[in-house]
Amino acid sequence: MSDPSSSTSFPTTVRAGTVLLLTNSFLCLVAVNMVNTNPIMSVMAAMAATATITMFKARCPVSLLWPVTALAVVAQTMATSGVVSVPATVVVSPIVALIQGF
């Protein structure tokens, strides 16, 4: 059985990785800037950042996968802190990041 991430229909390119990096940078900025004024928009931006990396990580080179994923984790942490208390964020954020990694 072959690995779907190594399929020729999903080529790994630096261009795709750069687009993912720019997209998640923008979504992270939205999540961080909206956390106090509009927490729902912040959560939506964090979810979009997570969904983006989940769907397209097979197309991203490993060298760009780390910063793209880190931006999604930062967005999740900030959005979570706007919705729930800080102690709950400390517990929930690493769990969400671990789930995202798989």
Side-chain angles (χ1 to χ4, degrees), residues 67 79 95 98:
I95 294 169
L98 285 172

Side-chain angles (χ1 to χ4, degrees), residues 37-73:
T37 58
N38 194 348
I40 299 298
M41 184 64 85
S42 179
V43 169
M44 290 174 59
M47 289 173 55
T50 301
T52 301
I53 192 61
T54 302
M55 291 186 302
F56 298 111
K57 67 182 172 186
R59 297 181 183 183
C60 187
V62 175
S63 61
L64 292 174
L65 190 58
W66 286 97
V68 169
T69 304
L71 287 167
V73 171

Side-chain angles (χ1 to χ4, degrees), residues 4-66:
S5 64
S6 65
S7 174
T8 56
S9 63
F10 298 115
T12 301
T13 63
V14 174
R15 180 184 225 180
T18 304
V19 169
L20 280 173
L21 184 63
L22 292 174
T23 302
N24 269 13
S25 295
F26 173 74
L27 290 170
C28 184
L29 283 172
V30 169
V32 169
N33 288 332
M34 296 291 225
V35 73
N36 291 327
T37 58
N38 194 348
I40 299 298
M41 184 64 85
S42 179
V43 169
M44 290 174 59
M47 289 173 55
T50 301
T52 301
I53 192 61
T54 302
M55 291 186 302
F56 298 111
K57 67 182 172 186
R59 297 181 183 183
C60 187
V62 175
S63 61
L64 292 174
L65 190 58
W66 286 97

